[in-house]
Structure formats: C-alpha cells, structure tokens
Amino acid sequence: MFSFNTPPLVPYMRYEEFSRLSGEPLGTIKHKVSNGVYIIKKKEKPYEKPMLNMYAMHEMAAREAKELLG
C-alpha cells in the first residue's frame, strides 16, 4: 500500500522527459541513478532504454515528508 493518495501521472519516465520537466541536466540524472538516489525500472531486454520508476520515487518522497513533518 502506498502512503500517498494522488499517484504520479505516469508510472515510468525516460531520463530525457524527466530532465525536461525537472530542469535537471541529463548527466546529473544519470549520476543520481548510478548513486542510487533515483530508482529505475528493471530492464527486461538489454536494448531497452532505462526508465525512472516514478511510483517508487513518489513513495520515497512521501515517506521522507511524513518523517520530517511528523
């Protein structure tokens, strides 16, 4: 069960789209993925483009906010 009532608009998002929406450079996004800050969907085939798991990151942000706010 998720700790948020409003889910993200899409479950997964390509790096380029996330960069466009967030204003974060593509290199920074890739760096955060490699450091485990951003969560990606497991690729089923090796040639698939990696996609950010928006549900997982939304849940993580909701839990962090709840922890900070009490």
Side-chain angles (χ1 to χ4, degrees), residues 3 5 12 30 39 44 48 50 52 54 57 60 67 70:
S3 64
N5 294 329
Y12 304 105
K30 290 178 180 180
I39 302 165
E44 294 178 18
E48 289 181 343
L52 295 167
M54 301 309 293
M57 294 194 317
M60 189 169 60
E67 184 179 300

Side-chain angles (χ1 to χ4, degrees), residues 14 24 64:
R14 290 203 170 132
E24 204 167 6
E64 286 175 4

Side-chain angles (χ1 to χ4, degrees), residues 1-45:
M1 175 148 177
F2 296 112
S3 64
F4 52 85
N5 294 329
T6 307
L9 296 176
V10 294
Y12 304 105
M13 187 178 295
R14 290 203 170 132
Y15 293 2
E16 296 82 8
E17 184 65 11
F18 187 75
S19 175
R20 187 183 71 78
L21 292 173
S22 68
E24 204 167 6
L26 197 54
T28 303
I29 293 168
K30 290 178 180 180
H31 181 67
K32 288 184 176 182
V33 167
S34 67
N35 287 337
V37 176
Y38 289 160
I39 302 165
I40 59 169
K41 176 184 185 276
K42 182 180 176 187
K43 295 194 300 184
E44 294 178 18
K45 298 179 179 163

